[in-house]
Amino acid sequence: RAGLNRLNFAFKPNCLKKHLLLICSIVNSFLSAQTVRQPLLASYPGLGAYSKKAADAFSFTVNPAALANLKQSSAGVYSERRFLLNAFNQYTAVAGFQTNSGAFGLQADYFGYANYNETQLGLGYARSLGSKIDIGAKFNYYSLRIPAYTSASAIHFEAGVLMHLSDKLHAGFSVFNPVGGKLDKTSNEKIASLFRGGLGYEVSDRFFISAEIMKEENKNTGVNAVFQYEPVKQLLIRAGINTVNSQPFAGVGLRFGSFRVDVATAYHPQLGISPAVMILFDGKQKE
C-alpha cells in the first residue's frame, strides 16, 4: 500500500481506465511468477520464425534457432502502444548477424514508463546442423524497476530447435526460462517459464501460414494462428489471432529498397486499439 502511494497516482474520472490497467500490471509483477512480457500483437514481429523464406531479424524473438535462417544480416525496431496508453508502451530493437561460425543476434526490450518499467537485454546464437535442423540459444538479463519502491533483476536463458520437414513444411519448439530466473533471493518470485511448439507451411513463394501452441507458467494454453501474403514484391499483408487475449491483429508492410516499414493494429472491444510500427533493414544477402 505504501509503495502504491509513492507512485503518486492521481485518480481522476477520465484517467480511471489507465490507472486500473496500470495497477493490474504492477500487482501482476509481484505474483509468484512474473509474466513474460510480449507484444500484444504477439505473433506479428516474429511471424517468420517457422519459415525459411519469411525469416528476418525479429524471427528469433519467437525461436532462437530462427537466426540460422537469415539470408543476410538484418536489424529492426518495433514499437507498440497498448490501448493508446503511454504507461503501456513497448519497444523492441533487434539485430542479426551472419558469420562463418553461425548467426548471432542482439535484442533489447523496454516496457512501461517512468514509474514502472521492465527492460531486457539478450544475446543469441544459432547455427544449422545440416539442411534439416537448426538449433539456437539466447541469454537474457531482465530488470524490473518501480522508483522509490523496488527494483529486481535476473539472468535467464531460452533455447530452440527448428526442423525442416520438407522444402515447404517447417516445425519448431522452444523453451523460455525453463529453470531459474529468480527475481528476489528472499522469496520464490521468478520470471515465468514459457513453452512454444509450432508449424509453418509455405504454400507458395508469396503465401505463408503458421500456427503455434504456447503455454506460459500459471496461464492457460493459447494458440497463435497467422498468415503472410505478398501480392507484389513491395507489399505484404499479415494477420492472425492469439487466443490467449482473443484479439485479432492485422498489418501491412511496404518495402523501400533495403528498408521495410510495417503498420499494424489489434482491437479490444472495451479497451480500444493498440497500434504498432515496425521498421526493418536488410543488409547485403550472403553468398
Side-chain angles (χ1 to χ4, degrees):
R1 181 178 180 181
L4 292 178
N5 289 336
R6 293 192 186 103
L7 292 180
N8 296 319
F9 288 148
F11 286 97
K12 298 178 182 179
N14 61 345
C15 295
L16 181 59
K17 178 178 74 172
K18 173 179 176 180
H19 292 308
L20 288 175
L21 288 169
L22 185 57
I23 289 173
C24 290
S25 179
I26 293 174
V27 171
N28 184 63
S29 71
F30 291 100
L31 298 177
S32 60
Q34 166 72 11
T35 188
V36 180
R37 192 68 63 187
Q38 299 181 51
L40 191 61
L41 284 68
S43 293
Y44 196 93
L47 186 146
Y50 302 102
S51 169
K52 276 196 169 184
K53 292 184 175 67
D56 57 41
F58 284 95
S59 300
F60 84 106
T61 62
V62 171
N63 188 321
L67 270 173
N69 293 320
L70 286 181
K71 299 179 180 66
Q72 63 273 316
S73 294
S74 180
V77 292
Y78 174 86
S79 174
E80 176 183 290
R81 177 169 291 189
R82 300 188 184 192
F83 318 121
L84 294 175
L85 298 177
N86 290 330
F88 286 84
N89 287 330
Q90 179 157 345
Y91 307 96
T92 297
V94 295
F97 308 95
Q98 284 287 350
T99 72
N100 294 331
S101 301
F104 293 86
L106 299 173
Q107 180 179 350
D109 299 284
Y110 176 90
F111 172 84
Y113 74 129
N115 287 335
Y116 175 90
N117 56 76
E118 303 170 37
T119 58
Q120 182 169 280
L121 301 174
L123 173 63
Y125 173 78
R127 67 178 303 152
S128 296
L129 301 180
S131 60
K132 296 295 184 181
I133 297 180
D134 306 319
I135 58 172
K138 186 155 71 78
F139 293 89
N140 303 303
Y141 172 78
Y142 170 88
S143 175
L144 166 68
R145 182 171 178 268
I146 305 177
Y149 183 71
T150 188
S151 63
S153 61
I155 296 175
H156 60 94
F157 78 94
E158 52 189 296
V161 59
L162 286 173
M163 297 164 286
H164 307 292
L165 307 179
S166 70
D167 291 340
K168 294 186 175 183
L169 183 62
H170 313 279
F173 179 78
S174 64
V175 294
F176 178 95
N177 188 41
V179 296
K182 291 189 65 174
L183 290 171
D184 189 342
K185 295 180 179 179
T186 62
S187 71
N188 292 323
E189 186 180 347
K190 64 182 287 291
I191 301 171
S193 299
L194 174 64
F195 300 88
R196 299 176 186 257
L199 286 170
Y201 183 66
E202 292 163 341
V203 180
S204 69
D205 291 341
R206 295 186 175 185
F207 188 52
F208 167 73
I209 58 175
S210 175
E212 69 172 354
I213 298 175
M214 299 173 54
K215 180 62 177 77
E216 183 178 337
E217 186 176 356
N218 296 334
K219 285 192 176 182
N220 294 329
T221 300
V223 175
N224 287 330
V226 298
F227 76 85
Q228 174 176 302
Y229 174 57
E230 297 184 46
V232 294
K233 185 177 180 180
Q234 294 76 22
L235 173 69
L236 65 83
I237 300 169
R238 289 178 164 185
I241 187 169
N242 176 6
T243 63
V244 174
N245 54 40
S246 299
Q247 295 183 62
F249 60 88
V252 295
L254 295 174
R255 290 191 175 94
F256 304 92
S258 298
F259 285 90
R260 196 182 96 202
V261 179
D262 289 35
V263 178
T265 188
Y267 177 75
H268 190 283
Q270 283 77 42
L271 301 177
I273 65 171
S274 297
V277 175
M278 186 172 80
I279 301 174
L280 188 68
F281 171 77
D282 291 326
K284 184 179 179 181
Q285 187 165 332
K286 68 178 182 179
E287 299 295 333

